[in-house]
Amino acid sequence: MNPSFKFVLALIISLEISLKTSLTTNLLIIIFALLYLVYKHISPVKLLLTLAVPLIAAFTVFATLYWFAPQPDLYNAFSLASRIYVYTLTIYCVSIDTSPENLARSFEQNFHLPSKFAYGVLAALNIIPRMRQAVKQIRTAGMMRGVYLSFWSPILYFKAILIALNSAENLAQGMESHGFHEAASRSVIVTVPVKQRDWLLAAFILLSFNLALFTLT
């Protein structure tokens, strides 16, 4: 499915279940999301981590609404706690086979977002590995001088910000030298088309979800 369609679909589902309580629908979404992840050959370790990480948040919501509420409601507690897993699993289903680069390109081509937004996102994503390497180099250089820069050291982040500003300036100059201009139309290197099956599949999923949401308890 088109990356933009998957993102909007997950967003609509998350918004609708936050407005209407339906434990059965939440459980169905969780089951289908897990089946989709298994279909995408997710490793058992990642699947267990995906289920274990939201457990604390889900348990906190359940305990607050059931054990510490003036009027405990088991159904409402389970329903709101299951929403944590719905949010987590739907976003994971979107991201498992959709790279940030494809999502940014899809937003630009299919939703007509400004090109400076798409290129800014791509630039930020590509600079993250360089920043990690720069932080390691700064800490190594400090240790060679007998100075240990901890994770929360302001000196470390000050130097990293200076490197980021320098990299941003070099990136801006590089884009201008390659003819980038905000108002000019640009050709597309990697196309992200919207196919008819994307519309049909998105409509089918959205219709099935709303039928379950408003008919099941």
Side-chain angles (χ1 to χ4, degrees):
M1 185 185 291
N2 183 276
S4 297
F5 277 52
K6 289 193 291 185
F7 178 82
V8 172
L9 202 59
L11 180 62
I12 293 175
I13 290 174
S14 300
L15 288 175
E16 290 197 31
I17 66 169
S18 65
L19 298 176
K20 191 177 187 306
T21 302
S22 177
L23 178 59
T24 306
T25 304
N26 292 351
L27 294 178
L28 287 175
I29 295 174
I30 292 172
I31 292 172
F32 281 112
L34 291 175
L35 291 176
Y36 180 78
L37 293 176
V38 172
Y39 171 75
K40 288 295 182 179
H41 303 290
I42 182 176
S43 65
V45 176
K46 289 184 178 180
L47 185 59
L48 291 176
L49 286 176
T50 304
L51 296 175
V53 169
L55 183 60
I56 298 177
F59 179 77
T60 303
V61 172
F62 176 84
T64 303
L65 296 176
Y66 185 66
W67 290 330
F68 302 103
Q71 297 179 347
D73 188 344
L74 183 61
Y75 175 83
N76 192 39
F78 271 118
S79 178
L80 295 182
S82 63
R83 287 180 183 177
I84 305 297
Y85 279 97
V86 172
Y87 299 146
T88 303
L89 292 175
T90 50
I91 293 300
Y92 198 6
C93 288
V94 173
S95 62
I96 189 172
D97 58 354
T98 302
S99 64
E101 290 82 2
N102 284 338
L103 187 60
R105 291 191 177 101
S106 179
F107 281 165
E108 180 191 12
Q109 299 175 30
N110 306 138
F111 287 168
H112 304 289
L113 261 64
S115 59
K116 61 181 179 181
F117 173 81
Y119 282 90
V121 171
L122 294 176
L125 293 173
N126 290 326
I127 206 174
I128 289 176
R130 298 183 182 180
M131 289 305 303
R132 290 176 178 173
Q133 184 64 28
V135 169
K136 291 181 180 179
Q137 291 177 354
I138 293 172
R139 297 186 67 179
T140 302
M143 293 176 66
M144 293 178 64
R145 297 194 303 270
V147 179
Y148 176 73
L149 299 176
S150 61
F151 180 76
W152 52 84
S153 173
I155 299 177
L156 175 64
Y157 290 102
F158 178 74
K159 293 183 177 181
I161 290 173
L162 293 179
I163 295 176
L165 292 175
N166 186 40
S167 300
E169 182 66 24
N170 293 336
L171 178 62
Q173 293 179 1
M175 293 178 69
E176 290 180 359
S177 65
H178 282 78
F180 178 82
H181 192 273
E182 294 182 6
S185 59
R186 299 182 60 84
S187 59
V188 177
I189 299 177
V190 180
T191 58
V192 186
V194 177
K195 302 177 182 179
Q196 186 178 7
R197 67 178 183 182
D198 294 330
W199 289 98
L200 296 176
L201 185 57
F204 173 76
I205 294 175
L206 198 58
L207 179 62
S208 302
F209 164 72
N210 279 276
L211 286 175
L213 183 64
F214 289 100
T215 57
L216 303 176
T217 58

